[in-house]
């Protein structure tokens, strides 16, 4: 562990991190930077020392997303890009299922998850035994699992998907009916986009399930010319009230290409900060639902993880082989 003195905001640290702060100055107050900068500087040095990369999900805070991440994206992009890195060490600034996916795709690399508490209410909503019971109840019906699941669940299913490719994955199977788990609302959304019959599980994201259609209508009354974009983990009445529905990456692309004057991003609230940092032409109205799991990853926990090379993600070989097959099948599905 470095001495506290080593983490001081010295003139050298200030100079080295000034271009990094420039990327987030619209969303991180200048008064906060002296606290973040020494950590950012130390993390970036340790990355070089260990030949490490940091993959960060779009819900990470701006000082992580813009300050230390080498690759940022939605769950699909992080899984795909995890297969393309030459690094020896992957730090997954996100939640545990994302780090497991990175490990499945990189069994020989060291994969670190900086917080042991970075779970997910969706991943916790279903077990491998539940999948076996579903198969018994619906013999012969293929099972599609959102990547927000444990390696044990991935090992029991036919193919994975993310919110960025769920419709393509369901249709790639060429069948009339699929079991889709664990997110009930994503399953319902997919059912509106395809003729394939969807048998859903009852899992919910504890962040997105809190939004309501009435709340969206209230925002529309209070803010004129408001464009509402929502994540498909939201309940159906929220998605009906939205102008656009998509994964976190598609929401970001929408803001970049459409440049709406005022936008409400109906999702975890750090994402609005991250996009606002690079979108001066758009005003962001922020309904702030935080993911408590994502927020257990901090600059301090990333630094500690790189210093100790712990906590590591380990998956027994036989389990990993079965789970990997479901993730690799997903990555082989062509995007629309
Ligand atoms: P995507 O980044 O795939 O849209 O997923 C959102 C999410 O809730 C991840 O935890
Ligand atoms: Fe899980 Fe929801 Fe948090 Fe994403 S936002 S990690 S789905 S609890």
């Amino acid at each position: 562990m470095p001495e506290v003195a080593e983490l001081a905001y010295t003139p050298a640290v200030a100079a080295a991190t000034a271009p990094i702060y420039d990327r987030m100055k619209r969303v991180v107050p200048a008064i906060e930077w002296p606290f973040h900068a020494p950590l950012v500087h130390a993390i970036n040095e340790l990355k070089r020392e260990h030949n490490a990369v940091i993959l960060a999900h779009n819900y990470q805070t701006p000082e992580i997303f813009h300050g230390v991440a080498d690759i940022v994206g939605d769950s699909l992009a992080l899984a795909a890009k995890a297969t393309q890195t030459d690094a020896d060490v992957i730090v997954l600034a996100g939640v545990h299922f994302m780090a497991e996916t990175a490990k499945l795709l990189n069994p020989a690399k060291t994969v670190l998850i900086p917080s042991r508490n970075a779970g997910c209410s969706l991943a916790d909503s279903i077990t491998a035994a539940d999948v076996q019971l579903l198969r018994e109840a619906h013999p012969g019906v293929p099972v599609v699992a959102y990547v927000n699941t444990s390696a044990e669940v991935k090992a029991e299913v036919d193919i994975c998907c993310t919110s960025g490719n769920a419709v393509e994955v369901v249709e790639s199977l060429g069948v009339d009916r699929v079991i889709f788990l664990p997110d009930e609302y994503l399953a319902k959304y997919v059912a509106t986009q395809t003729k394939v019959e969807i048998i859903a599980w009852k899992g919910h994201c504890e962040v997105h399930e809190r939004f309501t259609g009435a709340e969206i209508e209230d925002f529309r009354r209070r803010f004129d010319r408001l464009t509402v974009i929502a994540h498909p983990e939201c309940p159906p009445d929220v998605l009906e009230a939205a102008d656009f529905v998509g994964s976190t990456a598609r929401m970001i692309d929408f803001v970049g290409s459409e440049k709406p004057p005022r936008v409400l991003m109906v999702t975890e609230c750090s994402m609005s900060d991250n996009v606002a940092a690079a979108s001066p032409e758009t005003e962001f109205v922020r309904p702030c639902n935080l993911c408590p799991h994502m927020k257990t990853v901090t600059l301090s926990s990333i630094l500690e993880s790189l210093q100790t090379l712990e906590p590591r993600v380990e998956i027994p070989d036989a389990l990993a082989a079965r789970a990997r097959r479901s993730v690799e099948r997903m990555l082989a599905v062509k995007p629309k």
Side-chain angles (χ1 to χ4, degrees):
M1 298 281 281
E3 299 298 321
V4 173
E6 288 173 41
L7 290 177
Y9 188 56
T10 60
V13 169
T17 58
I20 300 175
Y21 179 61
D22 217 43
R23 299 203 285 263
M24 66 190 101
K25 64 180 182 220
R26 295 185 69 249
V27 291
V28 175
I31 197 168
E32 286 181 15
W33 188 241
F35 297 98
H36 296 316
L39 291 161
V40 166
H41 190 59
I43 289 168
N44 286 333
E45 301 262 285
L46 273 176
K47 280 197 305 191
R48 277 188 283 278
E49 205 177 290
H50 291 303
N51 188 24
V53 282
I54 298 183
L55 272 58
H57 186 260
N58 292 327
Y59 293 162
Q60 292 294 296
T61 52
E63 66 277 8
I64 295 173
F65 187 92
H66 292 291
V68 297
D70 301 285
I71 294 167
V72 294
D74 65 356
S75 312
L76 180 58
L78 295 184
K81 288 181 183 162
T83 63
Q84 295 159 11
T85 177
D86 295 331
D88 299 314
V89 177
I90 296 175
V91 182
L92 204 306
V95 291
H96 192 259
F97 74 81
M98 296 176 179
E100 267 192 346
T101 305
K103 181 67 181 178
L104 289 174
L105 297 168
N106 290 280
K109 292 188 198 286
T110 300
V111 176
L112 305 173
I113 173 77
S115 165
R116 292 184 197 275
N117 299 322
C120 170
S121 66
L122 278 170
D124 287 347
S125 73
I126 190 156
T127 64
D130 293 326
V131 181
Q132 286 157 4
L133 288 174
L134 278 167
R135 281 204 191 273
E136 279 168 29
H138 304 281
V141 180
V143 184
V144 179
Y146 199 24
V147 281
N148 299 38
T149 44
S150 64
E152 286 79 3
V153 166
K154 288 183 175 78
E156 291 297 324
V157 305
D158 295 284
I159 188 166
C160 287
C161 75
T162 74
S163 57
N165 63 8
V167 177
E168 290 95 318
V169 166
V170 164
E171 294 188 341
S172 75
L173 298 173
V175 293
D176 298 334
R177 277 206 310 168
V178 301
I179 298 167
F180 188 102
L181 54 87
D183 188 350
E184 181 187 13
Y185 297 145
L186 178 62
K188 286 189 167 161
Y189 174 69
V190 171
T192 67
Q193 306 295 307
T194 179
K195 290 193 170 66
V196 179
E197 186 191 335
I198 307 287
I199 301 166
W201 184 250
K202 288 273 181 197
H204 295 152
C205 161
E206 68 187 87
V207 178
H208 292 91
E209 74 173 346
R210 301 209 313 264
F211 294 109
T212 65
E215 185 184 2
I216 306 307
E217 293 312 331
D218 188 46
F219 275 111
R220 284 205 196 272
R221 274 191 292 277
R222 285 163 45 211
F223 297 92
D224 63 354
R225 297 194 309 146
L226 184 64
T227 303
V228 178
I229 59 178
H231 194 277
E233 288 171 11
C234 294
D237 61 336
V238 172
L239 302 185
E240 272 159 34
D243 300 299
F244 177 79
V245 175
S247 73
T248 56
R250 288 199 184 163
M251 293 167 91
I252 294 171
D253 291 348
F254 180 92
V255 174
S257 61
E258 302 296 314
K259 300 194 184 342
R262 186 178 267 166
V263 78
L264 179 80
M265 280 190 159
V266 191
T267 191
E268 211 272 352
C269 73
S270 287
M271 202 171 93
S272 291
D273 293 336
N274 292 332
V275 188
S279 311
E281 62 288 314
T282 298
E283 181 195 336
F284 288 78
V285 177
R286 291 177 170 81
C288 209
N289 286 0
L290 285 170
C291 173
H293 311 289
M294 288 277 178
K295 263 51 219 187
T296 62
V297 176
T298 61
L299 286 176
S300 301
S301 69
I302 292 172
L303 178 62
E304 195 178 331
S305 194
L306 276 167
Q307 287 166 331
T308 58
L309 296 182
E310 294 287 342
R312 293 179 192 209
V313 178
E314 304 290 358
I315 309 168
D317 288 347
L319 172 67
R322 293 169 60 220
R324 184 179 306 118
R325 188 204 48 188
S326 303
V327 178
E328 287 179 343
R329 280 190 186 155
M330 167 186 85
L331 292 174
V333 173
K334 298 262 172 302
K336 262 190 194 162

